[in-house]
Amino acid sequence: GAGVSQSPSNKVTEKGKDVELRCDPISGHTALYWYRQSLGQGLEFLIYFQGNSAPDKSGLPSDRFSAERTGGSVSTLTIQRTQQEDSAVYLCASSPGPRDSPNYGYTFGSGTRLTVV
Amino acid sequence: LAKTTQPISMDSYEGQEVNITCSHNNIATNDYITWYQQFPSQGPRFIIQGYKTKVTNEVASLFIPADRKSSTLSLPRVSLSDTAVYYCLVGDRGNTGFQKLVFGTGTRLLVSP
């Protein structure tokens, strides 16, 4: 697609429920990242996928958080037993690849605003 | 990953040049410097990236001194639409060409008429 697509754009869920957030990266981008941004705060790294390598999960805040990337394309971030402190905007980004790429930046989606009530 | 320090906020007026400086004293040899812009309710947008000296594109210029311990994002003749949060990041592209970006709190730029 033309950009990184995330769905849903907004999600309200009850405390204790599980949620799934979806990210469709730019076609051909081999790297995919998830970040979280709380209101008025900077971005917090969660996880990133890099081709067929094992993902870097070092930013996941707890074992309630997990992510998958199927077929090297679409990714799903799952939060189990949601808590109110999980409320934030969850942003996905993808990156094109080789270090000699003329445009090396990440492209971010518009995010999913998650509200846990 | 190198830690960055940048001003929390800056104010400017339309038509002025804005320079936002970022300190990264512990930058490593393989680290690149990247700047992003974020508007409310949107994801960050890549602005510019550099390794040393000066880089210029259609949006901004990036000045990096020889010691690379700081960098300055220069926005020429800002407009109201440049009001946003600007993030400075440093990171290693890594062996496979990817870098895991760590965002700080950014600089909130307010452009007034």
Side-chain angles (χ1 to χ4, degrees):
Chain A
V4 176
S5 177
Q6 293 188 245
S7 60
S9 55
N10 282 284
K11 176 72 175 179
V12 179
T13 190
E14 293 180 350
K15 178 181 173 181
K17 300 279 189 179
D18 298 351
V19 294
E20 284 190 352
L21 312 180
R22 177 187 169 102
C23 173
D24 281 283
I26 291 175
S27 178
H29 280 195
T30 55
L32 185 148
Y33 310 78
W34 284 97
Y35 287 84
R36 177 170 72 172
Q37 188 171 33
S38 301
L39 186 64
Q41 302 298 309
L43 282 81
E44 175 188 4
F45 167 79
L46 297 178
I47 185 171
Y48 96 95
F49 299 88
Q50 173 183 310
N52 295 322
S53 301
D56 180 342
K57 304 179 180 180
S58 60
L60 294 179
S62 77
D63 59 7
R64 296 187 295 106
F65 288 73
S66 63
E68 290 184 344
R69 188 178 186 192
T70 55
S73 181
V74 172
S75 176
T76 301
L77 177 69
T78 302
I79 309 174
Q80 295 177 313
R81 304 180 302 281
T82 53
Q83 304 294 314
Q84 288 185 330
E85 61 263 27
D86 299 333
S87 296
V89 176
Y90 289 81
L91 289 156
C92 176
S94 67
S95 178
R99 68 175 68 209
D100 59 352
S101 171
N103 177 15
Y104 200 71
Y106 291 14
T107 301
F108 280 83
S110 296
T112 294
R113 183 176 299 277
L114 176 66
T115 304
V116 181
V117 297
Chain B
L1 294 174
K3 180 180 178 180
T4 60
T5 303
Q6 52 185 125
I8 295 175
S9 63
M10 294 183 67
D11 295 324
S12 184
Y13 294 96
E14 283 189 293
Q16 290 190 333
E17 178 184 78
V18 171
N19 296 307
I20 306 175
T21 296
C22 178
S23 297
H24 27 80
N25 292 320
N26 297 320
I27 190 168
T29 302
N30 294 331
D31 285 343
Y32 283 72
I33 301 158
T34 312
W35 286 80
Y36 284 79
Q37 174 192 55
Q38 186 178 28
F39 299 113
S41 302
Q42 294 186 24
R45 182 176 73 101
F46 172 88
I47 299 176
I48 197 167
Q49 183 181 76
Y51 184 79
K52 62 180 177 180
T53 64
K54 177 183 175 182
V55 180
T56 297
N57 61 22
E58 64 277 8
V59 177
S61 294
L62 179 59
F63 298 91
I64 306 169
D67 65 6
R68 304 202 323 122
K69 293 184 182 298
S70 66
S71 60
T72 299
L73 175 72
S74 181
L75 305 172
R77 299 179 298 281
V78 295
S79 63
L80 297 178
S81 63
D82 292 318
T83 293
V85 178
Y86 293 82
Y87 295 96
C88 162
L89 302 94
V90 296
D92 183 0
R93 287 186 173 180
N95 294 329
T96 58
F98 303 107
Q99 56 174 313
K100 182 177 77 176
L101 297 183
V102 177
F103 286 78
T105 54
T107 297
R108 191 172 299 273
L109 173 66
L110 175 63
V111 180
S112 300

